[in-house]
Each structure stands twice: as C-alpha cells, then as structure tokens.
Amino acid sequence: MRRESVWFWWVAAGVAVIAGCYFLDADGLAFNLVYNGIGLISALSILVGVRLHRPRQAAAWYWFSAGQATSVVGDLIWEYYRYGLDQEPYPSVADAFYLAAYPMLAAGLWLLLRARRDGSAVTPAVMSGIGLGLVFWILVLHPIAAESATSAFTWFISTAYPAADALLLTMLVRLGTMRGGSPSTWLLGLATALLLFADCGYSVVSLHGDTDGWQFNAGWLLSYVLWAAAALHPSMAVEKPRAGSASDDLSRAQRIFLTACTLLPPAMLFIPGAGDGMLDRIVIGVASGALFLLAAIRMTGLTRQVRVKAAELREIAMHDDLTGLPNRRHFEESLAHRARTGELRVLFLGLDGFKNVNDELGRPVGDQVLTELAARIVAAAPGTPVARLGGDEFALLLPDAESAGHITERLVTALAAPVEAGGHELLVGASIGLAEAGGPVEALRRAEAAMHAAKETGEPYRHWSPALDERAGEHARLGAEMRAALLAGDFRVVYQPIVAMPEGRVTAVEALVRWQHPQRGLISPAQFVPVAERNGLIVDLGAWILRTACEQLVAWRAALGPDAPDRVSVNVSARQLARPQFPATVADILISTGLPARCLTVEVTETAVFGGGQAVTALHALRALGVRIALDDFGTGHSSLGLLHTVPVDVLKVDKSFVDRVTEAGRHAVIARALIQVSDGLGLTAVAEGVETREQVEALYALGYRLLQGYHFGRPEAAPDFRPRVHAVEA
C-alpha cells in the first residue's frame, strides 16, 4: 500500500466498522469494546501519521493523540462504572477525562494556527464564533443551566461540554477561514464539526427527551476516525498558506457564512422563547454590540489594506519592471514638479546598437545588458533622478549646469567599457543629448532631439540648439515632400559606368537616384537619403530604384545586345535588409522584369551589415538566388576584414579615400596594394571607386586593379555611353 493512500483506506475501514457497529446491541459489551477500540486505534494512528510524514509541528499532533487517548480512558472508566459497578453516576470521574480531552485538542489546533502565521482571518473567525456561540447559549447552554439545577457542580459539568464545543467551534471557524487549507486541514475541521454535532445533539436530546443519545455514537466514532485520517494524510506536513494569496481574501462561501453569523443575534429575537428573560436579552445585546465593533475593526483593516495595496500598485506603475528605475510617467511627474521650482536641465541617453544585441543574442542577454548599463548610469550620477523611458532610452534630471558636464563625462566613460552578458563581452555605445527649457514637455523633446543629432554625427553627446529644430523641421518637410515626389514620379535613376581594363569596356553600371524637385531643382542624395532612412521611406524608394534599374538593363540588353553592360549594381540600405521579406521582393522583381539574377549586384555598406542578424541572413538568401553581393566603401569601417568571414561577398569596392593619393608614395598606396591582394587571395572581384585622373588609372592598373569607376570614365547619366573608353591603358 502506498503511503499517500493510507488515509483513504483508513477512512474506508473506519466507516465500514462503524456501520457494522449498528448491528450490535448498543448496550452490549461487544459494542462498547469496538467503540473503545476505534478510539484507541485512532489515537495510535495519529502517532503513525507523525512517523510517516514528520511534520514540523509534530507537537500539535501529539496533543491530538493525547486528547483522543484521554477520551478513550474516560470511556473505559464509564464502562467500569456501568458493567463493573452497575452504576451510571453523573457527574463521574469519566467526565473529568472527557473534559480534559478538550484542552488537549484545542492546544493542538492552536499550535497549527500559530504555525500558519496568518492573522488575516482572526476578526472573521471571532465574529463567526460570537454568532454561533450565541446560538449555543440560547438553544443549549442556557436551557441546560436552567434545567440542571440539582447542584452547582452538576450545572458546571453540564455546561462545560457545550462550552468546550463552542471553544473548538471558534477555532474551527478560524481554521476554515484560513487560506491555503490542505486536505488534512479540512479533515480536522470535519472531525471537529462531528464532535460538536454529537456533543450538542446529545445535550439537547438528553435535555428534552428520555433517550440515552445512542443516535450520536456515529458522530463521536467518525470524529475519532477523521482525527486519525487528518494525521495519515500527506498534506498534514504542509503548514503554511499558499504563496501569493491575498491577506484578507475570503471566498464567496466564507463571506456568506460570515454574513449569516453576523445576522444571528437579531434573528434570535424571532425564536419563540428566546429573549424573554433578562439574561438572554443581555447576552443578545452584548453579542450584537461586539459584532458591530468587530465589523468596524474589519472595515478599518480593509480600508488600510486598500490604501497599502494602492500605494504598492502606484509604486509598480511608476517603475520599470526590468531595471527597477522610475519609468516615463514617473519622470514626467518629476519634470513637472521641478518646473514649478526652477529651470529644467534634462539629459537624454540612447544606446547605440542595442537592437543588434537583442536580434543576435536574444532578449535574455539584452535584458542583462540593460540591467548592467542601468546600474552604471545610476552609479555615474549619484543622487540624480534617473529613469528608463522605454526600450534602450534613459533620461536624467540634472541638478544644475555646473554638474551637467561632470555627469555627462562620467556617463560617457562608464558606458564605454564592455559589458559581460550571456558569456559574451559586448560593446554598447551611447549617444547623449542635453537640453534646458522651462516646460517639461519641451525640455524632454529638446534633449531627445539633441541625442538623435549626436547619434547621427557620431559624437558622444550634443547640446540642443535652435538649429537642430530647424533641421528637424526641414527633415520633416523634406520627408513629406519625398512621399509626394515618389508618387508624382519626380525621382529618376542615373547610371555610372564601371569599366574593365585594359580594353576600356563598360562591363557594368551602378544605379544612383536623383530627385528633381519642381521648385528647388536637383536635390542631392546626401540631403534626402538620410531622411528617407529615418522615416522608413527608403524601403519604398529602394524597391522602386531596384525595379527601375532591372527594367532598364533588360531594355539595354534587348536593344544593344553584346554592347550592353553585363550587370547593374543597386545600393541597398540597412532598413531594406532588416525587412525579412526583402529577398522575396528582389526575387519578385527579377521574375517580373525578366532579368537573370546573375546580372544584378546588390551593394551594401559595412555599417549596414556590421551587426549581423537579419541583414546577413538576407544577403545569404540573395546569394542563393544567384545575385552578386558587393561590399561598398570597403576599408573605411572598423572591422572590414572580419566581415569577410560572415558576409557572403563577391565584390569589394575600394573606397575613394584610398584612390585619391594612390599615385603618391606612402600609406595610401600601400593600403590600395594590400586591398587588391586580399581580394585576389579570397577570389573576389575588386572595383576601385572615385577614379578621376589618367595617372590614377595607370597606378591602379599597375597594382592589379582591373575594374575602375569614377568621373574619369563618365558621370552618372540616365543614358550612359557604352562605347569602349579611349582612356584605357595599354595592356
């Protein structure tokens, strides 16, 4: 038999034996021996339960066992009187043992209640006990006191039984209203209720009838069995309420029961004979007054609890879950308060490249980084209000202009150090914006604008100036006009030749976008492309450029045959690569235009793919289609050579900065030579950009470059001349 099921089989056997007792003569010796045997075995079973489950509050169960055993001793003494001496005295020595069992049971219940350390249900338990206790007084205690007038001692014994039951009743209600009650707790409650029912029923029947109360033997016997079952149940070792339960959260049934008990005093007035005597009226009045006071105490406690919970909820609502810092709402309230007392100085901090950490290493690592950096920010600005506004943005409310510079410098230093997270050593930079203003909204807006300006220029921090607003306004206007221009067809694509040496043939062209504004004329890509990057229009604009370039090359191939360029190169932004659907967009354009994938080269900058993630995934997908990948402005980034291990590259486009001084002896010529060696060694194609003179052509050719691009061979045009260049060098 499994230890977990011992209690069930014990109850089943006990119920079967008790049912069998009713086939025996209630006055016979056999019945009484079985009766006493059940009580004794129950007392011993409680000790077995302690041995099996080893509860921390073993003393409570020892008291229960002692109480059961003491009651059995009382039964044996009564049997001696009845069958040995042929007497049925009342009171007798047996009553002393019967009554002595109650304090032992109460002691055990008290130890269990104390072990719970949960005082939330004390008031409801006392209220319920008063209401039910009043019923006992009216229906049991007072009638017994009035009828049992043979002697004071007899009156005391007669009232002691129901009074002890009333004590157990109050403790039972306390146990029942405690949250997290285990099955063992409910078995104890049921055992106590049966004992209460049997004792009170016996007292009432004995008072008003001539029966000996044999009907209530089942209640006493089942109470014995259930006390033992509670000890044998495995949950008897679980002594604490469920974690996370509310401190005063009564169930619906408990609330109904409590309300009914509270209404018992006035209800007693409607019972015939109740309240007729002065003593009954006094008892009912005292009980009603006590219930009123306890209800007031309970309401006061609930009100205090609501206030505490409201304060806790406000604290939670005003702070960031991850870092524990005040959140945007809290910071805005702090700004409003400071605005009433002085000028606002706000520092707005945004992390650089944090999105790549989340994308590459996962959100748990990103959370570790945020937590660490938040701690550094707080440590770098002690005593300064710091808030996490959301995502990777933080804000500080600076005390004065003098300390602003010191705090900013400390933040730059603190955030420059690597962060250990998830087994990685990560560098996450930060851009900082500083601003002063009289209003909370304006101060925060200016600081954020300054932060974005610092992020664009690569500065560690930037102070707000009116020029930033002017530029922001210009960017907003430009962004709105760009959307209209894309719909109106004001953008156009031009093509710059890429020439193969030494024959001078135009082997490819690079597609470049231009904006012919109806009022402002030609607008440089340096002005509108960054704006398109920020507002997301670059995705739609880039797709239009890609489709237009592919359609144009298809047209040239049809019209010029072998004289047409072999490929067209199209620049792709980081925003486009970040879209998971970008490779599918390229595939659709190739299919709809009819251009073979090998004829398309996608150019990306080092910064667009430096963080890896979706950008590199997109390039692998494009390579799988057959599209060539070119790394633009190669050599100007921080880890150009490292990218060649992770990015699928076919073409290296050497930056103009290495071409400008390639004819001079020095480091630029050495770097240009090294880059062509790297390219040849890896089996890549090298294209030198920004070629403007014949001397550069000859120097680059001598170094090994065979593909050149620049103004020397032609400026970007809508319809370039594809005839071989006469400026080609001699083979």
Side-chain angles (χ1 to χ4, degrees):
M1 183 186 301
R2 295 182 60 185
R3 185 169 61 177
E4 292 79 5
S5 59
V6 170
W7 73 275
F8 174 80
W9 295 109
W10 162 257
V11 172
V15 171
V17 172
I18 293 170
C21 286
Y22 277 84
F23 292 97
L24 301 175
D25 182 7
D27 294 326
L29 181 61
F31 176 87
N32 288 278
L33 289 176
V34 173
Y35 187 104
N36 295 330
I38 291 176
L40 182 60
I41 295 173
S42 295
L44 294 175
S45 296
I46 293 175
L47 299 179
V48 172
V50 173
R51 179 71 176 175
L52 283 176
H53 306 301
R54 301 185 182 277
R56 293 182 60 186
Q57 289 295 325
W61 298 94
Y62 291 144
W63 278 114
F64 294 153
S65 179
Q68 300 282 62
T70 301
S71 183
V72 172
V73 171
D75 286 333
L76 293 174
I77 293 174
W78 176 253
E79 304 302 335
Y80 172 73
Y81 275 117
R82 189 173 184 184
Y83 297 104
L85 302 178
D86 196 22
Q87 299 177 9
E88 294 185 4
Y90 182 77
S92 68
V93 177
D95 291 293
F97 282 90
Y98 288 144
L99 291 174
Y102 284 96
M104 297 179 185
L105 298 178
L109 288 174
W110 171 252
L111 288 175
L112 288 184
L113 293 173
R114 189 179 66 175
R116 297 291 184 109
R117 293 186 180 89
D118 181 11
S120 62
V122 171
T123 301
V126 175
M127 294 173 68
S128 302
I130 290 175
L132 294 178
L134 179 63
V135 176
F136 277 106
W137 171 261
I138 298 296
L139 299 181
V140 180
L141 294 181
H142 191 199
I144 290 175
E147 297 292 335
S148 303
T150 56
S151 69
F153 183 66
T154 303
W155 174 86
F156 174 79
I157 296 298
S158 298
T159 56
Y161 283 106
D165 287 326
L167 172 64
L168 292 182
L169 171 67
T170 302
M171 302 187 77
L172 169 63
V173 173
R174 174 68 180 90
L175 197 64
T177 53
M178 180 174 289
R179 296 166 312 284
S182 62
S184 178
T185 301
W186 292 111
L187 288 171
L188 284 177
L190 185 55
T192 308
L194 285 171
L195 182 62
L196 174 68
F197 169 77
D199 283 346
C200 295
Y202 178 80
S203 297
V204 172
V205 170
S206 299
L207 180 66
H208 298 288
D210 56 0
T211 179
D212 60 359
W214 64 269
Q215 304 94 328
F216 300 101
N217 286 329
W220 286 310
L221 289 172
L222 281 174
S223 177
Y224 277 139
V225 171
L226 292 177
W227 281 103
L232 293 171
H233 198 284
S235 64
M236 60 91 76
V238 180
E239 299 165 347
K240 291 187 178 180
R242 288 192 302 260
S245 61
S247 62
D248 202 6
D249 184 18
L250 299 180
S251 67
R252 175 179 295 180
Q254 290 171 337
R255 289 195 297 269
I256 293 174
F257 177 71
L258 179 60
T259 302
C261 291
T262 306
L263 295 175
L264 283 175
M268 288 294 99
L269 297 175
F270 294 94
I271 296 178
D276 292 343
M278 177 61 70
L279 184 58
D280 281 351
R281 288 197 295 271
I282 292 175
V283 172
I284 292 174
V286 171
S288 300
L291 287 172
F292 177 81
L293 291 176
L294 288 171
I297 292 172
R298 176 170 168 78
M299 289 304 299
T300 302
L302 289 175
T303 302
R304 184 183 302 111
Q305 187 179 26
V306 168
R307 290 176 180 171
V308 171
K309 290 295 183 184
E312 292 176 355
L313 290 174
R314 175 176 171 78
E315 186 72 11
I316 293 172
M318 289 294 183
H319 285 77
D320 174 54
D321 291 338
L322 178 63
T323 63
L325 293 176
N327 57 17
R328 177 181 287 272
R329 181 181 299 176
H330 189 289
F331 190 74
E332 288 174 349
E333 288 190 1
S334 299
L335 285 176
H337 177 72
R338 179 72 66 84
R340 293 191 292 268
T341 59
E343 190 173 14
L344 297 176
R345 294 176 180 83
V346 178
L347 185 151
F348 197 105
L349 186 151
L351 301 179
D352 298 332
F354 177 73
K355 183 178 182 299
N356 294 331
V357 174
N358 270 346
D359 292 344
E360 286 293 302
L361 304 177
R363 189 168 296 278
V365 175
D367 290 346
Q368 293 181 40
V369 171
L370 279 176
T371 303
E372 169 63 23
L373 294 182
R376 292 187 190 180
I377 293 171
V378 172
T384 302
V386 180
R388 182 188 176 201
L389 302 184
D392 58 358
E393 295 178 340
F394 299 83
L396 287 78
L397 183 54
L398 302 175
D400 50 59
E402 182 178 354
S403 61
H406 300 301
I407 292 175
T408 303
E409 293 295 340
R410 287 200 299 267
L411 284 172
V412 171
T413 303
L415 299 177
V419 178
E420 296 281 347
H424 303 275
E425 188 175 13
L426 306 171
L427 281 173
V428 180
S431 300
I432 296 173
L434 298 159
E436 298 178 2
V441 176
E442 184 64 12
L444 198 59
R445 186 197 67 79
R446 289 181 180 182
E448 184 175 6
M451 184 275 292
H452 286 300
K455 194 181 289 284
E456 289 178 11
T457 59
E459 301 171 87
Y461 60 89
R462 182 83 173 267
H463 287 272
W464 178 86
S465 66
L468 292 181
D469 280 354
E470 294 176 6
R471 188 178 68 170
E474 174 63 20
H475 286 176
R477 288 191 296 272
L478 204 61
E481 292 178 355
M482 285 178 64
R483 295 185 182 277
L486 187 58
L487 295 174
D490 292 338
F491 289 100
R492 57 190 180 92
V493 178
V494 294
Y495 305 88
Q496 186 173 36
I498 299 174
V499 178
M501 305 302 291
E503 63 273 18
R505 176 177 177 269
V506 178
T507 187
V509 292
E510 180 180 357
L512 303 167
V513 66
R514 297 291 184 266
W515 182 7
Q516 188 65 43
H517 195 280
Q519 285 81 37
R520 305 187 201 182
L522 191 63
I523 299 179
S524 169
Q527 291 180 264
F528 67 81
V529 169
V531 176
E533 285 275 8
R534 280 195 298 275
N535 65 16
L537 187 63
I538 193 68
V539 175
D540 294 335
L541 180 61
W544 176 82
I545 295 170
L546 180 62
R547 179 176 295 277
T548 302
C550 290
E551 290 174 346
Q552 183 61 72
L553 183 56
V554 169
W556 283 334
R557 285 163 59 89
L560 302 177
D563 294 332
D566 298 329
R567 298 180 180 85
V568 60
S569 294
V570 179
N571 292 281
V572 173
S573 72
R575 280 252 192 174
Q576 290 174 275
L577 292 175
R579 299 290 182 95
Q581 62 270 28
F582 178 69
T585 300
V586 175
D588 290 343
I589 290 175
L590 292 174
I591 293 173
S592 61
T593 59
L595 182 69
R598 68 177 184 278
C599 297
L600 175 63
T601 300
V602 167
E603 293 192 15
V604 296
T605 62
E606 297 176 24
T607 55
V609 294
F610 176 73
Q614 177 58 39
V616 174
T617 301
L619 293 182
H620 280 288
L622 293 176
R623 167 70 78 79
L625 291 175
V627 176
R628 288 161 57 90
I629 309 298
L631 200 56
D632 201 10
D633 301 331
F634 186 76
T636 60
H638 297 291
S639 58
S640 302
L641 295 178
L643 289 176
L644 300 181
H645 292 289
T646 57
V647 179
V649 178
D650 301 290
V651 181
L652 296 182
K653 301 198 73 174
V654 179
D655 189 71
K656 183 178 185 298
S657 61
F658 302 113
V659 173
D660 287 342
R661 301 175 65 180
V662 72
T663 58
E664 304 174 13
R667 61 190 305 173
H668 289 83
V670 173
I671 294 175
R673 181 181 295 107
L675 292 178
I676 189 63
Q677 290 173 350
V678 169
S679 177
D680 291 342
L682 296 176
L684 306 178
T685 301
V687 178
E689 295 183 291
V691 180
E692 296 182 352
T693 66
R694 183 175 180 79
E695 290 76 17
Q696 291 173 343
V697 173
E698 293 173 349
L700 290 168
Y701 185 80
L703 291 175
Y705 288 90
R706 295 298 179 263
L707 293 176
L708 308 178
Q709 176 183 354
Y711 286 175
H712 180 71
F713 300 105
R715 292 180 176 272
E717 298 177 306
D721 183 2
F722 296 129
R723 290 176 297 176
R725 273 25 183 188
V726 296
H727 301 290
V729 297
E730 296 293 335

